[in-house]
């Protein structure tokens, strides 16, 4: 897909690992396809993974109660986020494709179910949050019948 912009958010401590090789192959293959590939190597950048008040450069909109989602949303509008967060957001906004490349769960030994995702909680209405909670409650009623995502071959765990 010539002309497409790809962002690889890479989070692994060892560049010579298999995850490093996966990233390298992605960069090479997508570049051959004519894509512009950007890699955000979070480890080499010493990117701070915790969401804290330090992510905001100005005064909070509500100094009495800190709500990360609301405060960062307001800070984003005011361009009052730290430069590293602002830069990563810019990369995401410009990308046609974002690949998250990490290796945290590759050896864990447990099966993974499809995610339950709720977006924009800090800016959702009470009714929207109730719908999200009801959806989660409904899913939990049959969670034991769900099939895991097949992301590891059975031989890996000697099944």
């Amino acid at each position: 897909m010539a002309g497409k912009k790809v962002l690889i958010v890479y989070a692994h401590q060892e560049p010579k690992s298999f995850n490093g090789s996966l990233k390298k192959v992605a960069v090479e293959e997508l570049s051959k396809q004519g894509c512009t590939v950007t890699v955000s190597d979070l480890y080499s950048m010493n990117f701070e993974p915790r969401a804290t008040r330090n992510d905001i450069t100005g005064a909070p909109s509500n100094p009495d109660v800190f709500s990360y989602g609301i405060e960062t949303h307001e800070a984003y509008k005011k361009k009052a986020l730290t430069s590293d967060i602002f830069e990563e957001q810019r990369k995401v906004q410009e990308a046609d494709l974002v690949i998250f490349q990490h290796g945290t769960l590759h050896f864990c030994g447990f099966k993974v179910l499809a995610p339950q995702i709720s977006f924009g909680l800090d800016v959702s209405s009470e009714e929207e949050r109730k719908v999200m909670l009801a959806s989660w409650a409904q899913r939990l009623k049959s969670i034991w019948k769900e099939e895991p995502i097949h992301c590891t071959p059975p031989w890996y765990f000697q099944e």
Side-chain angles (χ1 to χ4, degrees):
M1 305 286 339
K4 296 288 188 181
K5 293 182 180 181
V6 178
L7 171 62
I8 299 175
V9 180
Y10 174 72
H12 198 275
Q13 65 277 19
E14 177 49 60
K16 295 178 183 173
S17 68
F18 186 72
N19 280 288
S21 297
L22 289 170
K23 176 198 45 110
K24 182 180 176 189
V25 166
V27 170
E28 290 170 357
E29 180 56 38
L30 293 166
S31 296
K32 284 180 193 174
Q33 294 176 24
C35 298
T36 301
V37 182
T38 301
V39 176
S40 286
D41 185 336
L42 302 184
Y43 277 80
S44 71
M45 294 163 53
N46 291 318
F47 190 82
E48 171 59 69
R50 297 173 298 159
T52 70
R53 292 175 189 246
N54 295 334
D55 294 339
I56 300 165
T57 60
S61 61
N62 182 351
D64 298 326
V65 179
F66 184 77
S67 172
Y68 187 83
I70 290 171
E71 295 297 343
T72 53
H73 179 71
E74 292 301 314
Y76 175 79
K77 292 190 294 189
K78 298 176 196 171
K79 298 192 185 314
L81 292 168
T82 57
S83 60
D84 61 336
I85 292 175
F86 187 77
E87 178 62 15
E88 291 310 303
Q89 287 180 332
R90 182 194 62 75
K91 291 175 191 176
V92 169
Q93 289 171 343
E94 290 179 357
D96 298 300
L97 172 66
V98 179
I99 297 172
F100 293 97
Q101 174 65 50
H102 60 88
T104 20
L105 299 177
H106 66 87
F107 61 89
C108 59
F110 57 86
K111 296 180 181 178
V112 179
L113 298 179
Q116 179 82 18
I117 301 173
S118 300
F119 289 105
L121 302 175
D122 289 329
V123 294
S124 298
S125 69
E126 185 63 29
E127 187 57 37
E128 289 168 325
R129 283 189 292 261
K130 285 180 182 177
V131 169
M132 289 180 223
L133 289 171
S135 172
W136 178 232
Q138 184 63 37
R139 180 177 180 195
L140 290 171
K141 290 177 183 176
S142 61
I143 197 124
W144 302 108
K145 296 177 184 175
E146 288 187 18
E147 288 293 320
I149 297 170
H150 297 288
C151 55
T152 306
W155 58 262
Y156 190 82
F157 297 109
Q158 300 172 343
E159 291 179 2

